[in-house]
Amino acid sequence: MLNVIRGSVASYAFVAGAAAGLSALATWQGAMLVTPSAAQPATAGVQQIVSQPLPDVPGREVRMSVIERAPGVASPPHRHPGHHTFGYVIEGTYEFAIDRREPRLLKAGDTFYEPPGAIHSTSRNPSADQRLKLVVFMVAEQKNPSTVPE
């Protein structure tokens, strides 16, 4: 009976070790697919979730970030140099304007676009009590940071 238990434990240990090894290999290979970016480090409340060069569009990459802002928080005017920037409001409300135009109030489910060279003149969570959460998708020039102050 003791030999049967030892054999079962050894089998389980072997299977667990093989599974751990395969998992580590898959994780390592998956990490090779997404490469580091030349983008500037993320600021507080910004989590870069992917940066992927576009081999068929030399010098360009896709960058995706999740941005969270506390109630009343705004960013100063800035640009996304050479980047096509798209956004999607996940939760909360977002006051948004480019090139000093009249701000628009976006809600969850709304989208926005900033063309290359535009000044992101208003970027604010206007709520007094709700957080804002956005997903931002950029088709970016690899050599340029994601954001530069205006």
Side-chain angles (χ1 to χ4, degrees):
M1 173 84 170
L2 191 54
N3 285 339
V4 170
I5 292 173
R6 284 186 188 148
S8 294
V9 170
S11 296
Y12 284 118
F14 176 76
V15 169
L22 288 172
S23 177
L25 179 63
T27 301
W28 176 71
Q29 287 295 335
M32 304 287 280
L33 295 175
V34 177
T35 58
S37 168
Q40 69 186 23
T43 57
V46 177
Q47 176 189 5
Q48 186 164 336
I49 56 177
V50 73
S51 176
Q52 178 63 49
L54 300 172
D56 58 338
V57 186
R60 291 283 191 171
E61 68 184 355
V62 167
R63 297 177 191 163
M64 288 182 68
S65 301
V66 174
I67 299 173
E68 294 190 58
R69 291 218 175 116
V73 172
S75 65
H78 58 275
R79 292 180 191 266
H80 304 288
H83 311 326
H84 291 272
T85 304
F86 303 83
Y88 177 79
V89 181
I90 297 173
E91 64 183 59
T93 55
Y94 183 47
E95 191 174 27
F96 166 84
I98 56 172
D99 295 329
R100 302 193 188 345
R101 294 185 189 131
E102 190 66 30
R104 297 181 338 194
L105 189 61
L106 306 175
K107 62 186 183 332
D110 289 341
T111 62
F112 61 90
Y113 170 69
E114 298 174 54
I119 298 170
H120 194 162
S121 49
T122 303
S123 179
R124 181 174 95 85
N125 178 356
S127 176
D129 60 353
Q130 291 185 339
R131 293 191 62 77
L132 166 66
K133 191 172 190 177
L134 309 167
V135 171
V136 174
F137 175 93
M138 291 180 172
V139 178
E141 289 188 18
Q142 287 178 303
K143 63 182 171 59
N144 291 347
S146 292
T147 303
V148 295
E150 184 52 30

